[in-house]
Short mmCIF file of all heavy atoms in Angstrom, two decimals:
data_model
loop_
_atom_site.label_atom_id
_atom_site.label_comp_id
_atom_site.label_asym_id
_atom_site.label_seq_id
_atom_site.Cartn_x
_atom_site.Cartn_y
_atom_site.Cartn_z
N SER A 372 21.74 4.39 -23.88
CA SER A 372 20.49 4.34 -24.63
C SER A 372 20.56 5.39 -25.75
O SER A 372 20.86 6.52 -25.48
CB SER A 372 19.29 4.55 -23.74
OG SER A 372 18.08 4.58 -24.50
N ILE A 373 20.21 4.96 -26.97
CA ILE A 373 20.20 5.84 -28.12
C ILE A 373 18.81 5.84 -28.74
O ILE A 373 18.24 4.78 -29.00
CB ILE A 373 21.25 5.41 -29.16
CG1 ILE A 373 22.66 5.37 -28.54
CG2 ILE A 373 21.26 6.32 -30.37
CD1 ILE A 373 23.71 4.79 -29.44
N THR A 374 18.24 7.00 -28.92
CA THR A 374 16.90 7.16 -29.44
C THR A 374 16.84 8.08 -30.64
O THR A 374 17.44 9.12 -30.68
CB THR A 374 15.94 7.74 -28.34
OG1 THR A 374 15.97 6.88 -27.20
CG2 THR A 374 14.49 7.79 -28.85
N GLY A 375 16.12 7.60 -31.65
CA GLY A 375 15.89 8.42 -32.85
C GLY A 375 14.40 8.54 -33.12
O GLY A 375 13.71 7.55 -33.08
N LYS A 376 13.91 9.76 -33.37
CA LYS A 376 12.52 9.99 -33.66
C LYS A 376 12.33 10.51 -35.09
O LYS A 376 13.16 11.22 -35.63
CB LYS A 376 11.92 11.03 -32.67
CG LYS A 376 11.48 10.46 -31.36
CD LYS A 376 10.71 11.50 -30.54
CE LYS A 376 10.21 10.91 -29.25
NZ LYS A 376 9.40 11.89 -28.49
N SER A 377 11.21 10.07 -35.70
CA SER A 377 10.92 10.55 -37.03
C SER A 377 10.52 12.02 -36.99
O SER A 377 10.20 12.59 -35.95
CB SER A 377 9.81 9.69 -37.67
OG SER A 377 8.61 9.83 -36.92
N GLY A 378 10.49 12.65 -38.21
CA GLY A 378 10.11 14.04 -38.27
C GLY A 378 8.69 14.28 -37.84
O GLY A 378 8.38 15.33 -37.31
N THR A 379 7.79 13.33 -38.05
CA THR A 379 6.41 13.48 -37.67
C THR A 379 6.20 13.21 -36.18
O THR A 379 5.20 13.61 -35.61
CB THR A 379 5.53 12.52 -38.45
OG1 THR A 379 5.94 11.15 -38.22
CG2 THR A 379 5.60 12.77 -39.94
N GLY A 380 7.17 12.57 -35.54
CA GLY A 380 7.04 12.28 -34.12
C GLY A 380 6.22 11.05 -33.80
O GLY A 380 6.00 10.73 -32.63
N ARG A 381 5.76 10.34 -34.81
CA ARG A 381 4.88 9.17 -34.60
C ARG A 381 5.68 7.88 -34.40
O ARG A 381 5.14 6.91 -33.87
CB ARG A 381 3.88 9.02 -35.77
CG ARG A 381 2.92 10.15 -35.92
CD ARG A 381 1.90 9.84 -36.99
NE ARG A 381 1.17 8.64 -36.70
CZ ARG A 381 0.25 8.11 -37.55
NH1 ARG A 381 -0.01 8.70 -38.72
NH2 ARG A 381 -0.40 7.02 -37.18
N THR A 382 6.92 7.86 -34.84
CA THR A 382 7.72 6.62 -34.74
C THR A 382 9.04 6.95 -34.08
O THR A 382 9.67 7.97 -34.37
CB THR A 382 7.98 6.04 -36.16
OG1 THR A 382 6.73 5.83 -36.83
CG2 THR A 382 8.72 4.74 -36.04
N ALA A 383 9.48 6.05 -33.20
CA ALA A 383 10.75 6.18 -32.50
C ALA A 383 11.44 4.85 -32.40
O ALA A 383 10.79 3.83 -32.19
CB ALA A 383 10.56 6.80 -31.12
N THR A 384 12.74 4.85 -32.54
CA THR A 384 13.55 3.66 -32.37
C THR A 384 14.47 3.83 -31.16
O THR A 384 15.17 4.88 -31.06
CB THR A 384 14.38 3.35 -33.61
OG1 THR A 384 13.51 3.23 -34.77
CG2 THR A 384 15.17 2.09 -33.50
#
Side-chain angles (χ1 to χ4, degrees):
S372 177
I373 302 174
T374 302
K376 277 189 177 182
S377 63
T379 60
R381 297 186 58 184
T382 305
T384 302

